């Protein structure tokens, strides 16, 4: 077994953005603690930030996009997935108008990602139908 490394990062579970220190050994997260130097949380974390990291090493974790073809989900490239999404959104907008499209943003995203999400809906789709779980 190799030596443990300590890696500073930002928790991705909610928009609070707590600083975390990951104890990593043999490319696996062994333990997480709050970063005492992080101004947001000063070493504190909630239960998710400290303990909910098993998914990182889950064997059934999705690692590439999937598109349903002939009723079956098939692995594809990000290029094809984005082309597919853009094509479908264009078709819906042309057929039913921009208000037929809505977007639900996620509190797990960064503020910057949520900003881009609402900008995309308002400026590209021309719809104000945007909401998110981070206001609940
Ligand atoms: S540790 Fe908890 S409060 Fe802090 S960012 Fe993660 S989920 Fe949010």
């Amino acid at each position: 077994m190799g030596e443990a490394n300590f890696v500073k990062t930002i928790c991705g579970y909610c928009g609070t953005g707590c600083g975390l220190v990951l104890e990593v050994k043999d490319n696996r997260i062994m333990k997480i603690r709050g970063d005492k130097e992080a101004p947001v949380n000063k070493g504190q974390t909630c239960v998710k930030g400290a303990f909910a990291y098993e998914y990182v090493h889950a064997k059934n974790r999705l690692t590439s996009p999937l598109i349903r073809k002939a009723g079956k989900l098939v692995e594809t490239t990000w290029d094809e997935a984005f082309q597919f999404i853009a094509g479908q959104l264009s078709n819906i907008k042309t057929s039913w108008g921009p208000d037929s499209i809505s977007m639900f943003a996620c509190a797990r995203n960064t503020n910057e990602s949520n900003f881009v999400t609402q900008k995309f809906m308002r400026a590209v789709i021309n719809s104000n139908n945007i909401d998110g779980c981070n206001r609940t």
Side-chain angles (χ1 to χ4, degrees):
M1 270 214 163
E3 290 272 305
N5 290 314
F6 295 91
V7 181
K8 285 192 175 205
T9 189
I10 304 294
C11 179
Y13 262 111
C14 84
T16 304
C18 294
L20 303 176
V21 180
L22 280 53
E23 186 178 330
V24 180
K25 210 175 200 177
D26 296 327
N27 213 26
R28 289 189 71 86
I29 299 172
M30 308 302 286
K31 195 173 174 184
I32 295 180
R33 64 176 167 78
D35 182 357
K36 290 182 178 155
E37 293 173 3
V40 173
N41 55 314
K42 297 184 174 138
Q44 305 288 314
T45 68
C46 74
V47 67
K48 291 181 287 184
F51 300 112
Y53 58 86
E54 287 298 319
Y55 72 90
V56 172
H57 305 297
K59 287 195 172 27
N60 58 352
R61 184 175 177 186
L62 291 180
T63 56
S64 60
L66 305 172
I67 293 180
R68 193 176 303 278
K69 294 178 178 173
K72 289 188 81 173
L73 288 170
V74 179
E75 279 195 12
T76 187
T77 63
W78 283 108
D79 278 348
E80 188 184 359
F82 286 135
Q83 290 284 333
F84 180 79
I85 293 165
Q88 292 295 316
L89 286 174
S90 277
N91 288 343
I92 293 167
K93 188 175 165 181
T94 302
S95 301
W96 305 100
D99 279 343
S100 65
I101 300 172
S102 66
M103 176 101 52
F104 200 77
C106 178
R108 286 188 180 181
N109 281 343
T110 60
N111 288 336
E112 290 81 359
S113 288
N114 277 323
F115 177 81
V116 169
T117 302
Q118 64 83 26
K119 209 56 166 169
F120 172 77
M121 281 304 290
R122 294 194 167 108
V124 178
I125 302 291
N126 294 320
S127 170
N128 288 324
N129 295 336
I130 171 99
D131 204 346
C133 54
N134 39 356
R135 72 180 175 84
T136 55

